[in-house]
Structures are given as C-alpha cells and as structure tokens.
Amino acid sequence: MCRMRGSEAEGFTAALVHEKVRAIGCCVARDCFMRPERRRPIACEWRSAASQLSAVVGDSVAAAGGAAALRASGVRPSLRIIDRCNLTVLLEPGQEDLAQFLANNDVDIIASLPSYEADQTDKQRGRKVFERSILGLRALNELGYGKGGPCGKFGRRLDLVFNPPGPFLPPKQACLEKQYREQLCQKLGVEFNQLITIANMPIKRFFDFLRKKDTLEGYMDLLVRNFNPSTVKHVMCINHVSVSWDGKLYDCDFNQQLEMHIGPGKGLDVFSIETLSDARLRQAPIKTAAHCFGCTAAQGSS
C-alpha cells in the first residue's frame, strides 16, 4: 500500500504523539493492545522531539500522555491538540490543575470509558475506576467540555471511546452512543460530544490473551469475514503519522507497538524530514500485516 493516490498525494492532517512514561490503572480483560512501560528518563528526548514536531506537523496533534509537554515545548498555538486522556489521572495527586490547564489551552480530549455501567467498567479496568472516571468527566464539564453534542466545535471537545471487553466486534456506534447518552447524560448528568467505537487489535497483550484462550484463529477469522472495503479510505495510516516519544515515525499506533517503522533501514523520524510533505515520507509504502483487518472490519476502527 502506498501513500500516493494516482497523481495526487494524500495530505497528512494529524500526528499522533506518544509520551510513554508510565501507565495508570489496569485492564484486567486485556483488551488493551499496549504493554505499559516502566518509568524511564526521557524528558530531554521528549522535549527535543516535541519541539522539532512543531516544524513538521499538519493540522492537528493527538497526544497520548503528552499534551502538556506539547504546549510547553513550543508547538505552535494554531494547532488543534487532542489529549488521549485517562480520566482517572485528573484525580491523581499532583495533577489537580491538569484539567484547568487543558481547558486554558483549548485542548480537545478523547477518553476511554469501557461501559456506562459501573460493574462492567470496574471489572475491565479496576476497582472504582468508573466512579473516578465520572468525577473526572464532571470536572471537565464544569470547565466547558462536552458541550454542543456531536457537532460541538474544536476546543474543549470531549469524545468517549468504547472497545469490546472480549474477542468480538463492537456494536453499531450510533446505537451504543444513544445508550451512553441515556445512562450518562440523563441519569448521571455527564455530557460528552461523541462516542467512538473501535475493535480490539490482535497485537501485544490482546494477542497474548487470545492465544492463551485458544481464540486467536477465531477472532482473526471474525475480522477477515467482516472486512468492509469502504473503510479502507478512512484508515488512519492514509493521512496520519504516529510519533513515538523519541521522534520515530510509524503509520499508526498499532505499527508503533509492533515497531514497524516508516521507511527503509532504521526508518524516518521527525529529525530527518523537513515537513510532512517530505517526499520520502509521502512516498513510503504503508506497512500492513494481519492486525490491519481490525481497522477495516464492519464499521471500521480508525
């Protein structure tokens, strides 16, 4: 698969940036594709990569754990910044001012909430995670997040993410979003803009879980049987790049976890390209593997 379409190249609209320092919380259902890493001394490398990123990114940056560092590292103010936020971190000691900081900088938030039911969320993520997540959502609502429904403007958008608690596909997004609104908005007084449903990717921890349960072959068959050609033009690797904490470039978050970098040899990074229009980046073939069926099954997951 190549980034060039006919005679016109696809333009990159976003960079997905990871400051992977530590993980808060757990996922006992192992539906998360990531393996948490130990804390490591990468502050200098991160600041350097984030600063260089300001010269090459497109219209928006999605940060996993690094929204604060992005603003502090000189990324231009006109960018749309999206923080992929763990809601419980807003209640962690020393993070009391994080929500206000994100609001002051008009950072949009995407946050995972496995279920609108406390028991299911706690079973999947850990004791009292649902209660703490609701407190985090209410704190964000008080700062103006989640207003305006699905058509809410950028800047203080609050979108939630659902992925199934096992080896099956998520329900239709519109139907599940309606249920979330009924349970969260009407019963708990929590507002959000949109619910995003994604399939579980058969890599890393979830791959190990499937293999242990002897369901890997069945799950892969499910993804392949539900391949939807219309989703291909919307997959994230077409117009996004994923940037690791040290500046290395990948086609998507999942390829980053599998260390399938963009380009030959040791791959490309933010220090080796001038902009996202760099021919070496735009013409580099998109690396694909079996896990890519997770993004193209049923309604798609990008």
Side-chain angles (χ1 to χ4, degrees):
M1 191 171 183
C2 186
R3 297 180 189 280
M4 304 293 286
R5 280 192 174 182
S7 60
E8 295 187 12
E10 283 291 301
F12 289 98
T13 61
L16 313 174
V17 190
H18 295 258
E19 182 191 9
K20 287 172 55 183
V21 182
R22 66 190 179 102
I24 296 176
C26 63
C27 184
V28 294
R30 289 178 172 78
D31 56 353
C32 175
F33 64 85
M34 296 179 68
R35 284 196 179 102
E37 298 186 8
R38 293 180 180 178
R39 178 176 288 277
R40 50 186 177 181
I42 63 172
C44 292
E45 292 91 338
W46 164 251
R47 285 197 296 269
S48 178
S51 179
Q52 177 64 16
L53 186 65
S54 66
V56 303
V57 294
D59 300 326
S60 62
V61 174
L70 279 171
R71 284 297 187 197
S73 300
V75 174
R76 64 180 185 269
S78 61
L79 281 175
R80 181 192 178 199
I81 304 294
I82 307 168
D83 183 23
R84 297 198 301 199
C85 180
N86 178 339
L87 293 168
T88 63
V89 79
L90 301 175
L91 307 179
E92 287 289 313
Q95 300 295 326
E96 294 85 358
D97 62 345
L98 177 57
Q100 185 66 64
F101 174 85
L102 296 174
N104 290 346
N105 287 279
D106 289 327
V107 175
D108 291 331
I109 292 175
I110 295 180
S112 175
L113 189 65
S115 175
Y116 50 74
E117 295 180 344
D119 290 347
Q120 180 59 44
T121 297
D122 290 352
K123 179 181 179 181
Q124 199 167 334
R125 295 290 166 83
R127 185 171 174 267
K128 291 192 174 182
V129 167
F130 182 81
E131 177 184 340
R132 289 166 60 80
S133 295
I134 295 300
L135 291 175
L137 287 170
R138 286 174 175 162
L140 292 172
N141 286 164
E142 290 177 2
L143 294 170
Y145 276 95
K147 309 298 182 180
C151 298
K153 297 180 180 180
F154 295 151
R156 306 197 189 188
R157 272 191 69 92
L158 175 57
D159 295 329
L160 302 181
V161 177
F162 166 89
N163 59 299
F168 42 87
L169 295 176
K172 289 189 178 297
Q173 187 166 292
C175 296
L176 188 59
E177 181 175 309
K178 182 179 179 181
Q179 295 177 31
Y180 264 68
R181 290 197 187 281
E182 291 174 351
Q183 298 298 319
L184 297 182
C185 301
Q186 297 178 18
K187 294 186 177 182
L188 298 176
V190 170
E191 294 183 84
F192 64 94
N193 292 105
Q194 185 178 14
L195 178 71
I196 302 168
T197 60
I198 61 174
N200 295 318
M201 293 296 155
I203 63 173
K204 293 291 184 175
R205 290 202 301 171
F206 191 57
F207 178 93
D208 295 340
F209 171 77
L210 292 171
R211 188 166 54 181
K212 181 178 180 180
K213 297 295 184 180
D214 197 28
T215 55
L216 177 59
E217 183 177 351
Y219 186 65
M220 288 305 306
D221 180 65
L222 176 68
L223 297 180
V224 173
R225 283 190 290 106
N226 283 275
F227 172 71
N228 181 356
S230 67
T231 64
V232 174
K233 61 183 178 181
H234 301 296
V235 292
M236 69 175 69
C237 54
I238 296 295
N239 55 16
H240 290 59
V241 289
S242 184
V243 187
S244 63
W245 63 269
D246 57 358
K248 292 181 180 178
L249 300 176
Y250 301 84
D251 294 303
C252 65
D253 293 351
F254 315 118
N255 281 11
Q256 181 180 152
Q257 287 296 307
L258 296 173
E259 300 184 358
M260 296 170 57
H261 53 68
I262 296 175
K266 294 183 178 180
L268 298 174
D269 57 37
V270 295
F271 305 104
S272 62
I273 61 173
E274 294 294 330
T275 69
L276 292 185
S277 298
D278 192 298
R280 292 170 297 171
L281 176 62
R282 295 178 68 139
Q283 296 177 15
I286 296 174
K287 294 183 178 179
T288 60
H291 66 278
C292 297
F293 281 105
C295 281
T296 58
Q299 60 194 337
S301 293
S302 282

